[in-house]
């Protein structure tokens, strides 16, 4: 056995409390090496009486490793444990101290999970597991009230989007189109920033306690939130707490008074007076944007101000969550206090961080509930949209992602395929609707919380910012209505079946050099789906072992079975979704 490939460490994503009764244990081994892996578990104060062997399952794999998992319910909420590996006639044991070829004589040298303290259990909001989000860029969704249009606003959709032009999108426009969201099947909205700012994207906040007048008023937002709640739709706002805007009054004061300003400590200033020298501001900013000065979230007054903002919109308007911009550049201590503040105001509020890389430090239950799952985005784009990797590499990327986080993180990860920061999905697919459907179907049959970027459902295209921020196409002649029906049908399928929302996913076919992907989805009650996809430009045959009777998940028609196998000829960029009848 390759001992160098075996890895485990207590806590993090390797040993964690899934709920107040259950501990998940994980261990890594070389891929395809072990015939079986077991966990040896028991209570440290009653070892001989409680000791037992728990078989582990290989729940994920990547290019190099298999990842094994077991769920254990310790009788007294504490656990000593080790691992037992089997290959042929060879056996190996792993304790906290060493590898050994014989069973450990007692529990003293085993790993220790001291106690499941309920306050330490990471429990993201339950409603998020069943949510399908819809992202709205407010300035470009719909113009419902021309009276609040910015000066010089252009007629709706009359020009290409630029970093500086306006078209008059507002909150009334969203209210006017809630039927569209309800018909699509989404039950949560993620709004890009709504607070007063000078730009069309509003990430340069001027007043954190005021809806931008071009969007409406605080009362209008309350009206919208209430209308959404009446339809069973949750609402999440964008919080830009890493930096403010050029016209944020404390920053204006520092610009005018320099080091003598009472707000000088609110920002990270390297040199007064504030200026741009050689293209670099003399104060820290988002990137090098002079109009986005970085806030000093360690400063007591800044901290109080921002935490009051977080509480205000929950208590006064009733929002259901915060998406946190540039979350990885803000100190961890602030986010811990932010979580305490938000959860005290609304215990089931969703806290979502914008982080584009491995995020385990923020996902230990003391900061965020989830992050924007860009590693998943990249894998899906690479395989389905751009075809730069084969099925094996895609499955390996997904396996690595599943192993990287605790199960409850996977269940509420924010899964997106495009946003205001990226080229639109159809554009990434080279305009091929078939590719787009496959990518979308995978997202909607994958663990986590899917999000649809406004307009994707009707076939809008566009390159990266600002091209991805075009005005929503409301005229039916500009919409791909068949694509819209596909989105609604796939969302409905997900919402109706727990197996498509569970964390249990297993790849049945994902071969090197192949463009064919087959995977299984299961629910705790035994509900079972098999999804087959052909991400290639030519037809492909699929044949999967499947006992019992099966039906097309969309139509309900019986699926063709031959000699105990589900069989289908998938056209280029075609798919089949089967449900066990």
């Amino acid at each position: 056995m390759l001992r160098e490939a075996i890895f485990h460490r207590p806590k993090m994503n390797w040993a964690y409390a899934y709920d107040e009764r259950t501990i998940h244990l994980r261990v890594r081994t070389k891929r395809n090496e072990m015939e079986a892996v077991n966990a040896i578990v028991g209570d440290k104060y009653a070892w001989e009486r409680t000791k037992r062997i728990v078989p582990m399952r290989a729940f994920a794999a990547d290019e190099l490793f298999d990842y094994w998992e077991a769920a254990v319910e310790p009788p007294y909420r504490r656990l000593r444990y080790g691992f037992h590996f089997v290959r042929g006639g060879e056996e190996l044991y792993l304790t906290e101290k060493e590898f050994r070829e014989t069973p450990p004589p007692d529990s003293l040298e085993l790993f220790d999970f001291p106690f499941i303290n309920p306050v330490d259990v990471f429990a993201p909001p339950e409603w998020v597991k069943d949510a399908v989000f819809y992202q709205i860029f407010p300035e470009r969704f719909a113009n419902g009230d021309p009276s609040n249009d910015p000066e010089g606003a252009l007629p709706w959709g009359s020009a290409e989007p630029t970093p500086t032009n306006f078209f008059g999108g507002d909150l009334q426009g969203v209210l006017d189109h809630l039927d569209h969201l309800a018909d699509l099947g989404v039950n949560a909205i993620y709004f890009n920033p709504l607070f007063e700012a000078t730009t069309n994207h509003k990430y340069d906040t001027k007043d954190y306690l005021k809806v931008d007048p071009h969007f409406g008023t605080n009362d209008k937002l309350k009206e919208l939130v209430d209308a959404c709640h009446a339809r069973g739709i949750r609402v999440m706002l964008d919080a830009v707490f890493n930096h403010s805007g050029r016209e944020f009054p404390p920053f204006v004061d520092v610009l005018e008074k320099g080091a003598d300003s009472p707000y000088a400590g609110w920002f990270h200033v390297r040199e007064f007076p504030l200026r741009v020298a050689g293209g670099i501001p003399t104060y820290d900013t988002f990137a090098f944007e002079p109009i986005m000065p970085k806030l000093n979230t360690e400063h007591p007054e800044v901290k109080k101000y921002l935490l009051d903002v977080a509480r205000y919109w929950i208590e006064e308007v009733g929002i259901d969550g915060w998406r946190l911009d540039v979350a990885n550049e803000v100190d961890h201590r602030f986010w811990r206090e932010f979580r305490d503040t938000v959860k005290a105001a609304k215990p089931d509020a969703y806290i979502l961080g914008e982080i584009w890389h491995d995020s385990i430090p923020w996902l230990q239950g003391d900061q965020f509930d989830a992050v924007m799952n860009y590693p998943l985005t990249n894998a899906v784009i690479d395989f389905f949209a751009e075809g730069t990797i084969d099925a094996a590499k895609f499955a390996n990327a997904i396996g690595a992602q599943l192993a990287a986080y605790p199960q409850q993180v996977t269940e509420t990860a924010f899964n997106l395929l495009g946003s205001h920061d990226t080229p639109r999905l159809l554009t990434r697919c080279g305009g091929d609707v078939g590719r787009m459907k496959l990518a979308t179907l995978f997202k909607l049959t994958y663990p986590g919380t899917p999000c649809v970027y406004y307009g994707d459902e009707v076939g809008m295209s566009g390159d990266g910012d600002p091209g991805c921020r075009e005005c929503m196409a409301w005229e039916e002649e500009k919409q791909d209505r068949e694509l819209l029906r596909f989105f609604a049908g796939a969302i409905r399928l997900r919402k109706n079946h727990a197996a498509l929302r569970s964390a249990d996913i297993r790849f049945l076919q994902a071969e090197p050099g192949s463009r064919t992907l087959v995977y299984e989805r299961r629910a705790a009650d035994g509900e079972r789906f098999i999804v087959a996809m052909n991400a290639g430009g030519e037809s492909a045959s699929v044949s999967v072992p499947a006992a019992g009777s099966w039906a097309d998940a969309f139509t309900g028609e019986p699926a063709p079975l031959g000699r105990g196998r589900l069989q289908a000829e998938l056209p280029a960029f075609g798919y089949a979704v089967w449900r066990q009848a």
Side-chain angles (χ1 to χ4, degrees), residues 304-325:
K304 181 180 185 305
Y305 176 82
L306 296 178
L307 295 181
D308 286 347
V309 168
R311 185 185 303 109
Y312 173 84
W313 293 101
I314 293 174
E315 295 178 345
E316 298 300 321
V317 176
I319 68 166
D320 302 290
W322 286 106
R323 181 265 190 186
L324 307 170
D325 190 55

Side-chain angles (χ1 to χ4, degrees), residues 291-366:
I291 68 168
M292 296 182 181
K294 181 174 174 61
L295 290 161
N296 179 8
T297 49
E298 297 178 36
H299 193 287
E301 294 174 8
V302 175
K303 188 181 298 185
K304 181 180 185 305
Y305 176 82
L306 296 178
L307 295 181
D308 286 347
V309 168
R311 185 185 303 109
Y312 173 84
W313 293 101
I314 293 174
E315 295 178 345
E316 298 300 321
V317 176
I319 68 166
D320 302 290
W322 286 106
R323 181 265 190 186
L324 307 170
D325 190 55
V326 200
N328 57 343
E329 296 186 18
V330 176
D331 65 273
H332 291 276
R333 180 172 293 184
F334 174 82
W335 288 136
R336 292 186 180 101
E337 294 189 39
F338 177 87
R339 183 180 185 85
D340 289 344
T341 299
V342 167
K343 296 296 184 176
K346 178 172 279 192
D348 69 346
Y350 184 41
I351 301 175
L352 172 67
E354 184 210 11
I355 300 180
W356 293 57
H357 52 79
D358 186 292
S359 306
I360 196 70
W362 291 268
L363 295 170
Q364 295 298 299
D366 59 345

Side-chain angles (χ1 to χ4, degrees), residues 129-130 444-446 489-502 521-525 527-529 551-556 577-580:
K129 298 177 183 179
D130 299 325
L444 290 169
T445 57
Y446 183 76
I491 290 172
R492 184 167 55 251
L493 188 69
R494 177 186 179 85
K495 291 173 68 176
N496 288 342
H497 297 286
L500 300 179
R501 305 189 303 274
S502 78
R521 302 286 279 115
R522 287 179 181 264
D525 64 3
E527 183 183 44
R528 185 181 176 197
F529 283 77
D552 185 293
F554 287 102
T555 67
V577 182
W578 296 298
R579 178 173 179 262
Q580 194 166 34

Side-chain angles (χ1 to χ4, degrees), residues 36-67:
V37 179
N38 302 302
I40 307 167
V41 304
D43 185 272
K44 59 186 172 184
Y45 298 119
W47 180 252
E48 291 302 325
R49 182 159 50 88
T50 61
K51 180 179 69 172
R52 60 193 178 101
I53 305 298
V54 178
M56 305 185 76
R57 70 182 184 101
F59 77 99
D62 59 24
E63 184 177 6
L64 299 177
F65 305 111
D66 287 323
Y67 299 90

Side-chain angles (χ1 to χ4, degrees), residues 231-443:
R231 292 172 175 263
I233 297 174
R234 308 269 186 160
V235 177
M236 179 172 68
L237 300 189
D238 214 324
V240 192
F241 291 167
N242 174 70
H243 55 272
S244 70
R246 165 65 175 76
E247 295 192 7
F248 183 49
F251 185 70
V252 172
D253 198 76
V254 178
L255 279 172
E256 294 174 353
K257 301 174 184 175
D260 294 329
S261 169
Y263 300 103
W266 281 44
F267 306 92
H268 297 270
V269 181
R270 295 190 301 277
E271 185 179 337
F272 291 102
L274 304 188
R275 65 192 188 281
V276 177
I280 307 295
T282 62
Y283 49 94
D284 290 342
T285 63
F286 167 68
F288 296 108
E289 291 288 346
I291 68 168
M292 296 182 181
K294 181 174 174 61
L295 290 161
N296 179 8
T297 49
E298 297 178 36
H299 193 287
E301 294 174 8
V302 175
K303 188 181 298 185
K304 181 180 185 305
Y305 176 82
L306 296 178
L307 295 181
D308 286 347
V309 168
R311 185 185 303 109
Y312 173 84
W313 293 101
I314 293 174
E315 295 178 345
E316 298 300 321
V317 176
I319 68 166
D320 302 290
W322 286 106
R323 181 265 190 186
L324 307 170
D325 190 55
V326 200
N328 57 343
E329 296 186 18
V330 176
D331 65 273
H332 291 276
R333 180 172 293 184
F334 174 82
W335 288 136
R336 292 186 180 101
E337 294 189 39
F338 177 87
R339 183 180 185 85
D340 289 344
T341 299
V342 167
K343 296 296 184 176
K346 178 172 279 192
D348 69 346
Y350 184 41
I351 301 175
L352 172 67
E354 184 210 11
I355 300 180
W356 293 57
H357 52 79
D358 186 292
S359 306
I360 196 70
W362 291 268
L363 295 170
Q364 295 298 299
D366 59 345
Q367 295 172 71
F368 307 155
D369 292 316
V371 295
M372 301 181 79
N373 198 357
Y374 280 108
L376 173 71
T377 306
N378 296 336
V380 171
I381 294 298
D382 288 346
F383 181 62
F384 293 108
E386 299 179 349
T388 57
I389 60 174
D390 61 19
K393 288 185 177 179
F394 176 72
N396 289 338
I398 296 299
Q401 182 73 7
L402 291 169
Y405 297 116
Q407 180 178 318
Q408 56 264 56
V409 173
T410 296
E411 290 171 340
T412 55
F414 195 81
N415 297 334
L416 68 164
L417 298 182
S419 74
H420 64 291
D421 284 326
T422 69
R424 281 192 175 271
L425 178 57
L426 185 56
T427 298
R428 298 293 293 270
C429 292
D432 191 309
V433 173
R435 289 180 180 271
M436 183 181 186
K437 285 182 177 180
L438 286 186
T440 299
L441 183 60
F442 183 83
K443 177 181 68 175

Side-chain angles (χ1 to χ4, degrees), residues 40 83-84 91-95 98-104:
I40 307 167
F83 300 101
H84 172 223
E91 297 184 54
L92 185 68
Y93 296 84
L94 173 64
T95 70
E98 62 184 354
F99 286 106
R100 44 184 302 134
E101 296 177 358
T102 58

Side-chain angles (χ1 to χ4, degrees), residues 60 70 73 103-104 141 180 212 219 244 259 271 435 499 519 525 529 535 566:
E73 292 190 12
F141 186 66
H180 173 77
D212 193 288
D219 288 341
S244 70
E271 185 179 337
R435 289 180 180 271
Y519 55 97
D525 64 3
F529 283 77
L566 282 168

